[in-house]
Amino acid sequence: MSEIPGMSRIAPVLFKAACPDCRARFELSAGALRLAIGASARTTFYSFTCPECGVAVRKPAGERIIELLTGGGVRTLRLHSTV
């Protein structure tokens, strides 16, 4: 595949993460993370599977984390409350 003149290659975005179970530290691509944005802080979080021990990890996501993850291409699920 040839490159388009004037375009430069963009390195994939990697996010630093840590597992609370095995305490491993690693980098994850945007495709390895999921972001859920809910109506409250309790329902807004990001998740991933630890590549070292395989445990499912879920961590709260504040405004800055949401900004970084969405800007880096992490898939986002917007949770809507039913009224």
Side-chain angles (χ1 to χ4, degrees):
M1 182 173 180
S2 63
E3 290 189 37
I4 299 171
M7 298 287 289
S8 60
R9 285 192 181 185
I10 299 173
V13 176
L14 294 175
F15 298 93
K16 291 183 181 186
C19 177
D21 277 17
C22 72
R23 300 184 189 271
R25 294 188 176 278
F26 39 82
E27 292 183 336
L28 297 171
S29 68
L33 293 155
R34 299 290 176 271
L35 174 63
I37 300 175
S40 70
R42 188 175 58 83
T43 58
T44 301
F45 60 91
Y46 66 99
S47 62
F48 58 90
T49 300
C50 175
E52 298 293 321
C53 70
V55 71
V57 177
R58 177 176 160 163
K59 294 188 175 186
E63 288 183 32
R64 181 69 178 140
I65 296 294
I66 292 169
E67 181 182 323
L68 291 170
L69 295 179
T70 56
V74 172
R75 283 187 260 175
T76 303
L77 173 65
R78 296 197 181 272
L79 306 174
H80 299 283
S81 61
T82 56
V83 179

